[in-house]
């Protein structure tokens, strides 16, 4: 899972991280938050990551 933020300076490591994952035949999901303030962006990325972690934890117990 690649969490993306809107970089201030325009420089980002996201394309390099995506290329490395794909070069190793690793499936990748990219999440980029909706437009909003810094706190809203952080909250959205944390919420999605937290949901995924709980979902995987529950699935591993089944």
């Amino acid at each position: 899972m690649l969490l993306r933020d809107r970089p201030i300076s325009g420089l980002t490591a996201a394309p390099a991280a995506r290329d490395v994952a794909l070069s190793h035949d690793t499936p990748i999901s990219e999440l980029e938050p909706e437009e909003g303030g810094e706190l809203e962006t952080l909250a959205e990325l944390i919420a999605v990551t937290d949901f995924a972690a709980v979902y995987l934890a529950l699935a591993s117990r089944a």
Side-chain angles (χ1 to χ4, degrees):
M1 183 179 299
L2 178 61
L3 302 177
R4 297 182 62 179
D5 193 6
R6 291 175 298 280
I8 295 171
S9 64
L11 298 175
T12 177
R18 182 185 324 107
D19 291 343
V20 168
L22 294 175
S23 71
H24 289 90
D25 296 325
T26 303
I28 186 169
S29 294
E30 294 184 50
L31 299 175
E32 186 170 359
E34 299 291 326
E35 293 294 324
E38 291 179 6
L39 185 59
E40 292 169 331
T41 298
L42 176 63
E44 184 176 346
L45 291 175
I46 289 174
V48 171
T49 306
D50 187 50
F51 175 81
V54 170
Y55 185 83
L56 289 172
L58 291 174
S60 67
R61 292 185 182 195

